[in-house]
Amino acid sequence: MKVIAREAPLALPPRPTGPRSVRRAAIDHYDILESEREVPFDNIAMLAARFCNTAAAAISFLDDDRQWFKATWGFSLQETPIAVSFCANVIETEAVFVVNDARRDPRFCDNPLVTGEPHIGFYAGTRIVAADGTPIASLCVIDPAPRLAGLSPDEQEALRALATQVRSLLELRRCVIERQEQLALQSALSKQLLYVSEHDELTGLPMRALFHKRLESAMKAAHRDGTRVALMFIDVDHFKQINDSLGHDVGDALLCSFAQRLPAVLRASDTVARLGGDEFGVVLPGIQRDEEIAVIMRSLCARLQEPIRHEGRMVECRASIGLAIYPDHAATAAELTKCSDLALATAKLSRGCAITYSPSMADEFERETRMLAIARDGVAEKRIVPYYQPKLDLESGMLVGFEALVRCMQVGGAPILPEMFSPAFVDRQLSAAISQQMMARVLDDMRGWIDAGLAFGHVAINTCAADFHADDFAERLLAELDARGLPAGLIEVEVTEGVFLGRGAHHVARALRKLSENGIRIALDDFGTGFASLTQLKQFPVDVLKIDRSFVSGIGRNPDDMAIVRALIGLGNSLGIETVAEGIETITQAEFVKAHGCAVGQGFLYSPAEAATQVPVMVARFTQGSGEWSIS
């Protein structure tokens, strides 16, 4: 049986008020009208004619305006107006409707079905009802010769039985239709679920899984056709700051703007995806010439630098782009992805630019990986230790304290300087672990020196943004001091402008105020190298300005550096804030900063950083020394 699928609801529709409308709705439930011929229905019509010994038989459905024949035997009509239909009388009664002699029956003698094709002389029919009891069709037998005896009881019973079979066929048809509709619904739902699983809800762009499928497909096609594939990763610059300062609604609007701009400058064959957070990916298949990539890159860079308007506000935005090409840079999707990632990481160092992968980037990545491994192993094996560099009063030459500098010890070798594992300080979790281990070691050393009767002044401890992330740094430090019985005045906390400007700056302000209220001095490290120093001096409790070694190193060689050092010392003195010159390596540098009013200096001129065991020696040296400066 061939069934034509339909979009109507599966359940029977509510009954309209008019009988014909009700009948049409019930017929539509089986999707039978205008359907093609089907052998089971034709066979029932044939059996009805043979059982009842008539020349013809039919299964007809009564529409609102017509009688439509689903199956006929012995004649070829397809439909008739309902006004001339014998079957219209059949559906009004449960009994078999019989017309013995249509030519003499005043109801039918002038009927065109009697006077013309199929020349009905005798007619008998029984109705067929739908599942809800609505009469919708009839099974009838006809003959050109009148039959005064009508149908015998057995013939009537056979006609009813065959009508029951027609109803069974209709119900089977309904079940098939429902099944097809369920399958169609499941298919549509599966497609919808697949789409949702592969596309980003905010931007509507493909996500990572679909993106990689298309990348692999493009690379296979390129291998087959001898073309190339360009893979670009794109990051929105300073997206976290935009979210934090302007709100997530602005961040979402920026992402949606990027999602619209990217396809606008690409080809129809290209794929754009949101890979997560503020990162987008682009696959450019079928590349034949370098110029094609160059044109697209120029268009992207220009388009993505345009500010967006959100609720009447113009929001500046930029993007960094990393590019890698198959097969120039890699032979597999995984390798090409890594290459593009490395190019993006390089681009983000400068921001707002596009960088193409080069092999040297892989070397740098491997170097950073090794550096991170050094730091992680050092933390896990508790090999992170402080080395101490003395701080001297430049007027008297007396020791005033130390700065604790981080080192990573290695078995049987020299300590590893922080430059060897600098990427660890970008990793918030790892950076916090290093800081915590350093803090504990420094405080333990201080407790030991006090117990040994050593007067070491104070110790300056460097902090990082990760220390302030949990908003309990001040409480933790004060608790550690209290647990060891250490006076708060022995500690100086050094912070950089990066800590002030990072996410959670309000945590930093609260922590510094609490530390300052408890007698801990606050030093602003690398002063003069950032963007908001003067603002910080007003907003935060700063006791010490540390002049960065990059300026001190230029004394005697670079007039600009000398002017900056003079200005920074003057600013500190004007505000009543102590100044410390870092990185003093020559007597000229020491004399210059002293002459201009700098209070304290530290650097290799006095001593390199030494292990805790050497601190008593350094204390004795600077306490008993002549005060003359010479490189050790």
Side-chain angles (χ1 to χ4, degrees), residues 297-557:
M297 288 282 277
R298 283 195 297 269
S299 298
L300 277 177
C301 288
R303 191 77 174 90
L304 296 181
Q305 313 306 332
E306 297 174 4
I308 69 164
R309 180 177 293 277
H310 179 71
E311 296 183 351
R313 167 191 285 172
M314 296 302 293
V315 180
E316 295 294 330
C317 59
R318 294 191 304 170
S320 301
I321 303 175
L323 169 70
I325 302 171
Y326 166 85
D328 304 34
H329 301 137
T332 68
E335 292 171 350
L336 191 66
T337 297
K338 183 184 293 185
C339 292
S340 188
D341 261 331
L342 291 172
L344 175 62
T346 304
K348 287 178 72 66
L349 295 176
S350 302
R351 306 282 185 180
C353 63
I355 299 292
T356 301
Y357 170 80
S358 68
S360 62
M361 295 176 187
D363 297 337
E364 178 66 19
F365 176 78
E366 291 298 328
R367 188 182 71 84
E368 290 190 2
T369 301
R370 289 195 301 272
M371 294 167 75
L372 284 171
I374 290 172
R376 289 194 178 96
D377 291 345
V379 169
E381 298 169 10
K382 299 189 183 305
R383 291 191 280 106
I384 301 298
V385 299
Y387 266 46
Y388 298 92
Q389 186 171 55
K391 298 166 67 176
L392 272 65
D393 183 300
L394 294 176
E395 188 64 38
S396 66
M398 300 296 290
L399 178 76
V400 296
F402 293 92
E403 179 180 357
L405 303 173
V406 65
R407 298 290 187 268
C408 181
M409 303 303 294
Q410 55 181 338
V411 179
I416 301 173
L417 299 177
E419 290 81 2
M420 292 297 294
F421 52 94
S422 57
F425 301 108
V426 180
D427 184 312
R428 190 173 68 194
Q429 198 170 26
L430 186 53
S431 177
I434 293 173
S435 182
Q436 290 169 14
Q437 202 165 117
M438 269 285 290
M439 190 80 69
R441 289 291 185 94
V442 169
L443 298 182
D444 287 343
D445 287 344
M446 291 171 63
R447 182 68 261 173
W449 298 334
I450 291 175
D451 293 343
L454 191 65
F456 55 86
H458 69 268
V459 176
I461 304 176
N462 291 283
T463 60
C464 61
D467 288 324
F468 299 92
H469 184 73
D471 195 27
D472 64 348
F473 174 73
E475 286 76 9
R476 284 189 287 112
L477 177 54
L478 292 170
E480 293 284 346
L481 288 168
D482 186 60
R484 294 170 175 80
L486 295 173
L490 296 180
I491 287 291
E492 186 176 286
V493 169
E494 294 192 6
V495 294
T496 63
E497 290 180 352
V499 173
F500 286 119
L501 298 175
R503 184 177 183 182
H506 56 288
H507 294 338
V508 179
R510 191 197 68 79
L512 295 184
R513 281 194 297 270
K514 187 170 184 64
L515 292 174
S516 181
E517 290 166 0
N518 282 272
I520 293 177
R521 296 208 312 167
I522 309 301
L524 184 55
D525 199 10
D526 300 336
F527 185 65
T529 61
F531 299 98
S533 299
L534 295 179
T535 301
Q536 292 158 8
L537 293 179
K538 291 176 59 179
Q539 293 181 346
F540 300 99
V542 176
D543 303 293
V544 180
L545 298 181
K546 301 201 72 177
I547 303 172
D548 188 65
R549 68 181 62 248
S550 63
F551 300 128
V552 174
S553 65
I555 293 174
R557 297 183 295 105

